[in-house]
Amino acid sequence: MHRLSRRAILLGGAGLVGSAGLAATLTGCSTTDATHGSTHPIGPVPSASPSAGQGLVQKSLVARETTLDLGGPTVATWAYGDTVPGALIRAKAGDFLRISLENKLPADTSIHWHGLRLRNAADGVPGLTQDAVKQGDRFVYEFTAPDPGTYFFHPHVGVQLDRALYAPLVIEDPNEPGGHDDEWVVVLDDWVDGTGRTPDDVLKKLVDDGGGSHDMGGMGGGHDMGGHDMGGGGTAMAPWGDAGDVTYPHFLVNGRVPAAPERFTAKPGQKVRLRIINAASDTIFTVALGGHRMTLTHTDGHPVVPREVGAFHIGMGERYDAVVTLADGVFPLVAAPFGKTSGGQAMAVVRTGAGSPPAADVRPAELSGEVFIGSQLLPAESAKLPDRVPDATLQLSLDGSMKPYVWGMNGAPFGKNDPLTVQQGQRLRIDVTNQTMMTHPLHLHGHTFALPSGLRKDTVLLAPMQRLAIDLDADNVGRWAVHCHNIYHAEAGMMTELRYTES
Ligand code: C2O
Ligand code: CU
């Protein structure tokens, strides 16, 4: 199933060279250093304060070990407080956020504010923007949230994202007309922690099954995906092919399994805004609300030309806002894991009237119709980057394989690859090529980029062997992570840095 496709061969002269090159460079990669960056101390981070008249939102978070009930399964895990997701943080565009993190975990941690165009010192990436927050220590994140939208936050250390350490962050638009009766935040997740395995166990097994992390000679072209821990015989399917590495026992909406689901209630005819966040570590979902069509209005915070869909894909780290006018009855809001054949699905229930609740394995007809690919949305006029010829173009390849389990960018894992460099004020084009037979959600910190259509995103899915040019304005000086939002890929090296240089 992982033979080179015809498409790969058409596109892939360079791809083959890229994979072979990676094999030569990858020997001796240490996965634990990949996102820790523990060898590069940053020192104290400068504090900041709100300017006169700026709104201030203050919160305290405690990251700690806890036991959570997912609606049946009870799991020992790590969380912000005693819920999964952690408590929603809401602010208005332009507000100053001051959020303290107390680390009571048995490990170092940090918080990254996913999708926000914030100051670099608050970006939460150990090794690039701060030192990891040690056990027992406290760290205060201080930043302005300039742009409205649907965001979330999570640690940027190891594979901690795959625990309960995530929560939604909504930045409201003071100028938005509104026009809906209610708003529901819908956070999707794939769940393994405390079910006999931790995410660290999962990563270790992926690396071990790939042949061990310290003897990686001979990658054999990167297309041998044998020994795949893939949900009991998943097969490669369009459009994402091989979309995930990990078999999960549960999929969650707002921290609940489908047998005891999250319940949303409204009146028939009401118009509701859904803010849908994929906080999973290794799962692309297909989302549908049974008996309804949804109108997608925003992605990754940015407004789009409204588009009515029956179902759509959402990659790890992506967000979509949708508006839906509710019918009368009881309806399943389903997020089906793409290409995974065990662990069931994620589901919430929408109730506007009488009726019995849907079964945990209900499959809305919308999932069998056309499934929309989010990157085909078109940008709202207000969200477009002004037309400009790029000042510089950089190549970025996504590389790697399951055997050995090593992932990289530009031919080497993070720590061994060279940063992408840019100068302040430039319009930068990054010409991205996925040189692998898996799909990867590419995420850039501190900026949003424009696809060739003009669509603004901070996270975009690249199908196997897909090539995509993304443009950005270099207007936020610092050291920014660029990585795959499959947390196992990122931790195994699929990351690089976008670094501002003086000239
Ligand atoms: Cu949500 Cu560096 O990512
Ligand atoms: Cu990836």
Side-chain angles (χ1 to χ4, degrees), residues 41-56:
I42 302 293
V45 159
S47 65
S49 12
S51 51
Q54 192 174 16
L56 175 63

Side-chain angles (χ1 to χ4, degrees), residues 298-489:
H298 297 73
T299 182
D300 298 358
H302 293 275
V304 300
V305 175
R307 168 85 189 218
E308 198 184 281
V309 302
F312 65 96
H313 298 291
I314 181 168
M316 300 81 94
E318 284 192 294
R319 292 89 63 212
Y320 289 92
D321 294 9
V323 171
V324 59
T325 303
L326 295 168
D328 189 350
V330 184
F331 309 98
L333 175 60
V334 169
F338 184 89
K340 296 192 176 184
T341 53
S342 67
Q345 60 186 6
M347 186 188 80
V349 171
V350 173
R351 179 179 286 276
T352 62
S356 45
D361 62 353
V362 65
R363 189 181 161 86
E366 288 76 9
L367 287 177
S368 308
E370 192 201 332
V371 182
F372 186 74
I373 296 176
S375 52
Q376 293 174 3
L377 287 165
L378 297 173
E381 205 53 44
S382 64
K384 284 185 179 162
L385 270 187
D387 275 341
R388 182 170 161 186
V389 176
D391 302 295
T393 299
L394 298 173
Q395 301 297 321
L396 178 63
S397 64
L398 315 182
D399 314 300
S401 71
M402 297 293 295
K403 272 179 175 292
Y405 194 79
V406 180
W407 301 94
M409 286 184 166
N410 280 347
F414 183 58
K416 297 197 167 182
N417 51 17
D418 293 327
L420 305 174
T421 58
V422 68
Q423 290 163 38
Q424 185 171 15
Q426 284 186 329
R427 167 69 58 89
L428 176 65
R429 173 162 296 168
I430 307 178
D431 184 6
V432 190
T433 310
N434 180 356
Q435 309 273 29
T436 80
M437 297 311 286
M438 284 192 76
T439 292
H440 306 280
L442 179 72
H443 176 51
L444 167 65
H445 287 207
H447 303 74
T448 57
F449 48 79
L451 306 187
S453 65
L455 182 69
R456 298 291 289 279
K457 297 280 290 170
D458 56 60
T459 310
V460 67
L461 285 170
L462 275 98
M465 305 311 286
Q466 186 183 344
R467 181 170 179 182
L468 182 70
I470 60 175
D471 283 9
L472 62 100
D473 279 336
D475 57 3
N476 197 4
V477 172
R479 302 181 61 188
W480 301 102
V482 180
H483 63 92
C484 174
H485 220 278
N486 179 313
I487 198 60
Y488 295 96
H489 292 182

